[in-house]
């Protein structure tokens, strides 16, 4: 029996391999990987060989580089790694910041 999944974000698993690439933040290296599952907050990837010195990278989801996510390494288990998507400047919407960004006009 498998333990219950305690993640807050719903994950989508793929029946077929989804090829992707990991690229260093500074562009100095690139490495092929396969996306095993994904959610709004992260992904599980399959990589060949050891993962050393990886802290942050870009997950390139298209060959043109138009679809990508900045990631942080969350865990490593053999040839599988987990990454968390980094969202810089992302603020949760609240009534206060919506009112500031969209002030009501006097009627």
């Amino acid at each position: 029996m498998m333990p219950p999944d305690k993640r807050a974000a719903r994950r989508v698993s793929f029946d077929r391999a989804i090829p992707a690439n990991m690229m260093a933040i500074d562009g100095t290296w690139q490495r092929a990987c396969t996306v095993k599952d994904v959610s709004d907050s992260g992904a599980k990837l399959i990589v060949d060989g050891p993962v050393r010195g990886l802290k942050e990278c870009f997950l390139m989801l298209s060959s043109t580089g138009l679809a990508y996510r900045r990631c942080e390494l969350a865990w490593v288990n053999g040839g599988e790694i987990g990454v968390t998507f980094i969202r810089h400047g992302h603020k949760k919407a609240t009534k206060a910041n919506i009112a500031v960004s969209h002030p009501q006009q006097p009627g």
Side-chain angles (χ1 to χ4, degrees):
M1 185 171 170
M2 293 188 63
D5 190 352
K6 297 181 181 181
R7 290 178 262 223
R10 188 176 66 98
R11 293 214 165 240
V12 176
S13 297
F14 301 104
D15 292 333
R16 294 184 181 208
I18 304 296
N21 285 296
M22 299 183 311
M23 185 175 73
I25 298 298
D26 62 3
T28 57
W29 58 264
Q30 188 168 332
R31 182 175 185 175
C33 64
T34 303
V35 180
K36 189 168 184 178
D37 68 36
V38 68
S39 74
D40 286 339
S41 61
K44 183 188 297 183
L45 310 175
I46 300 171
V47 295
D48 289 331
V51 178
R52 292 190 186 105
L54 175 66
K55 183 177 177 178
E56 287 186 24
C57 67
F58 289 109
L59 177 59
M60 310 300 288
L61 300 169
S62 73
S63 60
T64 61
L66 294 177
Y68 65 91
R69 296 295 298 263
R70 188 169 182 163
C71 304
E72 182 176 48
L73 183 66
W75 54 266
V76 178
N77 184 8
E80 291 185 346
I81 66 171
V83 294
T84 302
F85 298 140
I86 298 172
R87 298 180 184 189
H88 290 290
H90 179 65
K91 292 183 180 179
K92 190 173 183 178
T94 64
K95 288 182 182 179
N97 65 21
I98 290 172
V100 169
S101 63
H102 296 85
Q104 291 184 357
Q105 299 295 322

